[in-house]
Amino acid sequence: MIQAPKVQDMKDLTRMERIGAHSHIRGLGLDDSLEARQVSQGMVGQMEARRSAGVILNMIKEGKIAGRAILIAGQPGTGKTAIAMGMAKALGDDTPFTMMAGSEIFSLEMSKTEALTQALRRSIGVRIKEEAEIIEGEVVEIEIERSVTSGAKAGKLILKTTEMETVYDLGAKMIEQLQREKVVAGDVITIDKASSKISKLGRSFARASDYDAMGAQARFVQCPEGELEKRKEVVHTVTLHEIDVINSRAQGFLALFAGDTGEIRSEVREQIDQRVAEWREEGKAEIVPGVLFIDEVHMLDIECFSFLNRAMESDAAPIIIMATNRGFAQIRGTKYRGAHGVPIDLLDRSLIIMTRPYTEEEIRSILKIRCEEEDVEMTEEALDLLTTIGLDTSLRYSIQLITTSSLVARKRKASEVDVPDVRRVYSLFIDLKRSQQYLKEYESEYMFSEVQG
Amino acid sequence: MESSRPVRSCAIAGGKRRLHTTFPDGLEIVEEYDINSYELLSRRVKKTVELGEGKWELEVGEPPSSFNPESDLMIASSTNPIFIRKDLPTEFQWRIRNLPYPFDVYSVTGDSSTSKITIRTSNKKYFKIFEITDLFRKRLRLIPDLIRYTHQFNTLIITYPKPREILLEEAEMRRQLEEARKTRGNKPPQDGDVECVQQ
């Protein structure tokens, strides 16, 4: 079978995104019957864990069950965070998904329980219908001029509907946005007056001609009717925490942007809960239960665990997903050791998903996906070598060798990463095992080695 | 218990009589009247919204036109038609300035079922649907046959007679304010005076 060469998606240059550790994940990679596909949506292997995550996902989507806890446990580098990310992506933007690390709650400005409460409330969304003022029309003409002396931009935009036409003077911010979105004459756009967001709906049919070379995404739409400036009912999702903040302070929602929310009094929260319940009865709002993901959950201490136990019993609680890489570990704040560093009463309330170490084949697939994500071309031999390194040391280490070896390859003006490049970075950067080995050998030459207690 | 009646306060400031009404559902209306002629100069309305503070919206009177290209977003250019409501003692009146087209281009129609007035232009340059909020608040019907419109000096003028209920209410308000003035010793109204109007 001949494989068609893969055409790389065109990268949007204006919106460059940095590549994170899990940016290759686009979902859980399950089919309709919740069976995990071997390699899909950036996920590889961990079939059982992904299948169980899929079941949990369905539970979240139905939104009926509140306050369940799921614990994802497994060795380091077995895809716990990846599964959580996959769930977040599969749920979509509309379901609140809060990610936090267990150590985040230890702050001097806020008590631990306040931080946890905020995180819990951040994971419950409220879908509210509101009227928004928008401008919707087809661009007739767009003129942007730059002053020769000051460099300030001045602009004019003519929009029309089937019934009317209006000339707008543009402010600097708007000009910048129009240029970023590459709005040209013939586009049908909407501008949200409150948030000043422009969205392109498509090209106008009137401007469609056979000769136009259009990308695959080009959509043709009718020129809007009626008035240019209209009120539309829009639905947006805010979290309970955001409503808390807006109502807890005189300056209102500005505190949200400042990030300076401080502690929120419980009276305010009670009031909000009551009001949201009223909205729900009136049909104005809808509750969207979301997910709170606590990574490194063994970093929480016994107080937080008991608080979580209690918080989970409330019917407004989100689904709590925890992840840990500990086996038997001390539970913080106590002298006792527990499985996964979590007290048994919380463990008993959780569904536990196990992740297992990757096989050689899986490591190879993950490395391949990462190569694509990081835009690195690699020969088969080099990939074999990286896979062996990954098996021998750790998956994270071999992933880190991808970009570094591609930099080395570029130094010798090669387009592909080959075995010598990987060898070179392998010798340049030592991994954990070799580092330990080295330390053991030369321990006596390091500082304070003689004061061993 | 909150009263189910709107709360009104009235004061004279800056040479205008300012009437502030708060309705039980949270709707706020601030109206400014000429001190002597009781002509409605401007009216601002603030509706309640679910999240945060509502925004004041101008219903009657001229909008302030200030545009700072550095910080502001966008504004309809000053050469565009400008829609302004400016009432007469017995009529609601709307003026749309900067409309240079001949009279036969325009058509103004009313819809009695939605109580909305639609302005169209046959050359597709201007279009607007608006409602007479005064009628809407009093739950009165729009009678399309009463709408009149003329065009002169680049301005389209639309008028609609005020219904009896509204005329009576306005006369009542005027009478009360006159009375209040008499109890204060028949002085002409001046800044700082506080008056109260019952509804």
Side-chain angles (χ1 to χ4, degrees), chain A residues 212-238:
Chain A
D212 278 358
M214 286 287 170
Q217 313 90 316
R219 254 194 316 160
F220 286 100
V221 291
Q222 295 288 357
C223 181
E225 290 175 354
E227 282 178 286
L228 266 170
E229 304 190 10
K230 43 192 140 190
R231 289 165 174 283
K232 240 191 191 168
E233 192 152 85
V234 288
V235 178
H236 53 211
T237 315
V238 290

Side-chain angles (χ1 to χ4, degrees), chain A residues 84 116 234 243 265 269 346 433:
Chain A
L116 271 178
V234 288
I243 306 179
R265 282 177 301 132
R269 292 217 168 97
L346 184 60
K433 271 188 195 158

Side-chain angles (χ1 to χ4, degrees), chain A residues 162 165 167 169 171-172 231 284, chain B residues 50 57 69 73 75 77 80:
Chain A
T162 52
E165 204 175 282
V167 186
D169 289 332
R231 289 165 174 283
K284 276 188 198 161
Chain B
E50 314 298 8
E57 272 167 44
L73 199 60
I75 195 173
S77 163
N80 281 318

